[in-house]
Amino acid sequence: MSDEKIIKTAAANAADKIHNGVDATEARLDESVDAVSARLESLEAQLRDSGERLLAGAKEISDAASKQMRTHPLAAFGVAFVAGIAVARLLRR
């Protein structure tokens, strides 16, 4: 065989190996992207559920606070007054 054919064969073999490596890497990347995508979907569902529970809890607290303010308006005023003084002192510093 001539030197030219040997070089062409070696180049073709190297190109095939590179192509196979790129294909294998692409397949692994696709699998990784799919795994990350599935994990993100799971996290999104968990965050959505947590957000809904948080909103439900906040609504319960708000309802309870409203009921307490209607039942004990003077105490509610006193708590708000003390909280205002505390915030004012914190903001002065």
Side-chain angles (χ1 to χ4, degrees):
M1 256 197 320
S2 71
D3 289 341
E4 188 178 320
K5 279 192 172 185
I6 293 172
I7 292 172
K8 284 182 179 180
T9 303
N13 288 340
D16 285 342
K17 287 181 182 180
I18 291 171
H19 185 66
N20 290 339
V22 168
D23 287 344
T25 302
E26 182 182 13
R28 278 186 255 136
L29 283 173
D30 286 343
E31 291 172 5
S32 296
V33 167
D34 291 342
V36 168
S37 177
R39 182 66 180 143
L40 285 175
E41 287 176 9
S42 172
L43 288 173
E44 181 184 9
Q46 289 176 356
L47 285 173
R48 190 176 297 119
D49 291 343
S50 295
E52 289 172 1
R53 285 194 309 263
L54 182 64
L55 286 175
K59 182 163 175 35
E60 287 179 24
I61 290 172
S62 173
D63 292 343
S66 293
K67 182 179 177 185
Q68 286 297 321
M69 284 190 286
R70 282 191 302 272
T71 307
H72 307 287
L74 191 57
F77 174 77
V79 169
F81 183 75
V82 171
I85 290 173
V87 169
R89 285 190 180 179
L90 287 174
L91 290 176
R92 273 193 216 153
R93 293 182 184 188

